[in-house]
Amino acid sequence: MKRIAILGSTGSIGCSSLKVIEAHPEAYQVIALAAGKNMALLAEQVRKFKPLEVAVLGDHEAESLRERLDGGQRTRIVSGREGLVHLATLEEVDTVISAITGAAGLVPTYAAIKAGKNVALANKETMVMAGALVIEEAKRQGITLLPVDSEHSAILQCLQGHPRDDVRRVILTASGGPFIDFSDEEMEKVTPEQALKHPNWNMGPKITVDSATLMNKGLELIEARWLFGLDIHQIHILIHPQSVVHSMVEYRDGSIIAQLGIPDMITPISYALSYPRHVDTALPALDLEQIGTLSFMKPDTGKFRCLELALRAAEIGESMPAVLNGANEAAVELFLQGRIGFLQIPSLIEKTMRAHTPVLINSIEKVMEADAWARQRAAEFAERDISIA
Ligand SMILES: NC(=O)c1ccc[n+]([C@@H]2O[C@H](COP(=O)([O-])OP(=O)(O)OC[C@H]3O[C@@H](n4cnc5c(N)ncnc54)[C@H](OP(=O)(O)O)[C@@H]3O)[C@@H](O)[C@H]2O)c1
């Protein structure tokens, strides 16, 4: 029986994780749930799964949850960053699903690893910001760190039973998002509503915009590097609009092993929890006859500059990936608020990266400093652009 805490239970990954857990009551038990602001959904989850503890964003949310539960549950409620860390390190928990979005996921995820919990990792930002520290700590604690991202889950599956030395390269696939065929003029006018409509996946707003800019693939490239101990130049990216081949591993003799499946996060979440077994899910089988054609093409990094910026940040290393991530989060938020245009996302990130002198990252505090610096600089650059316009 795995005793599970979900960080981000009200999000897209959190809700899918609860479906996986609910389908296998003999194998999984919910011990703790953490969410941000969606107290209506969290209250429903508490009634259904009866966790020992829940963590919420702040005191206001804690009060709102208490009112909704009306004293009818014995669940303890904690709040704030300390609350998240407390939840991620609970003695009763052995497995943490890290599914908070963005940099907010780093501190509790790292705390869970330090406390010796096995981690199913959806929060790729943790690996982008602090991959080296996370891998080092995971090795020190001897814990299992399993990817939830479908591409990384695919790579993990393609690596099973093969010596690592035999790997020539890894091929990460990308749907390409909704704007793959857009002209430069059309890209200029993209609205948040358009960017939030992903053709294949149903995800939270931040990752959906990242998929539209292709920053998501850049973040995944950095995540793959740390998770699988690869040189960044061993990681190649291919646009694959059908999202059926989730990623591939090419071996030294030219053989390529791919993992295929329908685009639904239930599969990689399930594999991260049942690894190395593949257990039943309620998903329909992949119907390749109906799909008919699988196509692949090179990404246009001139048009999707975020991908190029992520590669540059990975090559520079030190604090630059954390700066890339912080500037991206700030820019995506401004875009979603309608304050900057779609193409200003890469330009704000680039300006912030150019203004940064990389420093050695040897602690989570240093990572958070780089993140805060990047957010502030990106906001300043945006203010300047807005006032000029
Ligand atoms: N969705 C996917 O298919 C997918 C695939 C691969 C990887 N991922 C990764 O998984 C992570 C989650 O993505 P998602 O699509 O599930 O995002 P989402 O739907 O936006 O959900 C985010 C979750 O995090 C919570 N949250 C946000 N900020 C918080 C904070 N400061 N403190 C506590 N909780 C906070 C939210 O709570 P409230 O909603 O209650 O405020 C929500 O439960 C991201 O890192 C993403 O890159 C997602």
Side-chain angles (χ1 to χ4, degrees):
M1 178 68 88
K2 283 201 166 125
R3 297 163 66 78
I4 299 174
I6 306 179
L7 310 180
S9 68
T10 49
S12 156
I13 293 289
C15 291
S16 296
S17 301
L18 285 169
K19 281 190 197 151
V20 171
I21 292 171
E22 204 180 354
H24 290 281
E26 76 295 350
Y28 310 130
Q29 185 188 358
V30 172
I31 300 292
L33 298 174
K37 294 182 182 165
N38 188 346
M39 293 305 107
L41 181 54
L42 184 61
E44 261 177 50
Q45 294 176 343
V46 169
R47 280 189 213 102
K48 186 162 180 183
F49 292 95
K50 302 185 174 39
L52 291 180
E53 301 210 18
V54 294
V56 297
L57 194 63
D59 294 344
H60 172 72
E61 285 77 17
E63 200 40 52
S64 155
L65 183 64
R66 251 177 230 115
E67 276 168 23
R68 285 168 198 276
L69 295 174
D70 202 19
Q73 302 288 331
R74 268 187 273 153
T75 302
R76 182 173 173 230
I77 303 171
V78 295
S79 64
R81 191 189 276 180
E82 306 74 43
L84 274 178
V85 168
H86 166 76
L87 204 89
T89 57
L90 276 178
E91 210 183 305
E92 294 86 348
V93 166
D94 55 50
T95 303
V96 172
I97 301 178
S98 165
I100 286 179
T101 204
L106 171 63
V107 168
T109 305
Y110 191 74
I113 295 172
K114 254 189 130 170
K117 312 296 181 196
N118 293 320
V119 172
L121 185 75
N123 179 261
K124 63 193 85 187
E125 293 88 347
T126 286
M127 297 309 285
V128 173
M129 298 172 77
L133 294 175
V134 169
I135 291 295
E136 200 180 285
E137 191 58 35
K139 281 191 185 142
R140 191 175 303 135
Q141 299 296 339
I143 61 117
T144 327
L145 180 60
L146 290 169
V148 165
D149 237 323
S150 59
E151 294 78 359
H152 304 74
S153 176
I155 295 166
L156 180 68
Q157 293 176 55
C158 297
L159 286 170
Q160 296 304 300
H162 301 278
R164 287 297 170 93
D165 282 351
D166 293 357
V167 173
R168 186 189 281 160
R169 60 180 190 153
V170 155
I171 302 161
L172 278 179
T173 54
S175 72
F179 310 130
I180 202 74
D181 297 320
F182 270 36
S183 66
D184 291 349
E185 293 73 39
E186 286 173 312
M187 295 270 280
E188 193 84 61
K189 295 189 199 117
V190 162
T191 63
E193 292 70 34
Q194 285 174 300
L196 287 173
K197 278 194 196 118
H198 194 280
N200 304 341
W201 296 94
N202 189 6
M203 310 179 286
K206 192 257 176 186
I207 183 176
T208 306
V209 175
D210 283 350
S211 298
T213 60
L214 292 201
M215 176 57 91
N216 186 46
K217 217 41 58 179
L219 301 180
E220 287 178 7
L221 181 146
I222 303 174
E223 180 186 14
R225 168 214 194 149
W226 293 117
L227 279 177
F228 303 111
L230 297 162
D231 181 284
I232 43 173
H233 299 288
Q234 276 181 292
I235 308 168
H236 288 245
I237 292 170
L238 275 184
I239 302 293
H240 167 50
Q242 296 82 13
S243 295
V244 166
V245 175
H246 296 310
S247 277
M248 308 176 234
V249 176
E250 183 181 308
Y251 288 92
R252 286 157 71 153
D253 59 2
S255 299
I256 294 181
I257 299 187
Q259 187 262 345
L260 283 70
I262 62 167
D264 193 312
M265 291 306 292
I266 291 283
T267 311
I269 293 168
S270 175
Y271 189 63
L273 292 181
S274 65
Y275 174 85
R277 304 287 307 272
H278 292 264
V279 301
D280 288 336
T281 67
L283 294 180
L286 174 66
D287 187 347
L288 280 173
E289 271 178 55
Q290 201 220 329
I291 291 161
T293 306
L294 298 177
S295 51
F296 302 92
M297 62 199 117
K298 241 179 102 161
D300 181 348
T301 47
K303 193 158 127 189
F304 293 96
R305 286 175 43 235
C306 284
L307 197 49
E308 194 62 37
L309 292 170
L311 183 62
R312 205 190 298 167
E315 282 170 342
I316 295 168
E318 299 194 318
S319 50
M320 198 55 97
V323 165
L324 169 96
N325 186 70
N328 179 54
E329 285 191 29
V332 169
E333 210 174 307
L334 288 165
F335 169 69
L336 286 173
Q337 290 164 358
R339 301 194 61 211
I340 64 168
F342 186 69
L343 292 181
Q344 272 174 288
I345 298 174
S347 75
L348 269 188
I349 299 167
E350 185 162 21
K351 279 184 198 161
T352 310
M353 284 172 64
R354 279 185 193 280
H356 183 65
T357 307
V359 295
L360 181 73
I361 291 289
N362 52 13
S363 68
I364 293 297
E365 291 69 33
K366 283 248 185 267
V367 179
M368 296 312 288
E369 272 169 34
D371 174 68
W373 180 90
R375 283 165 197 271
Q376 191 175 337
R377 274 327 280 268
E380 285 164 11
F381 283 127
E383 272 316 317
R384 238 179 270 172
D385 289 354
I386 293 165
S387 61
I388 292 167

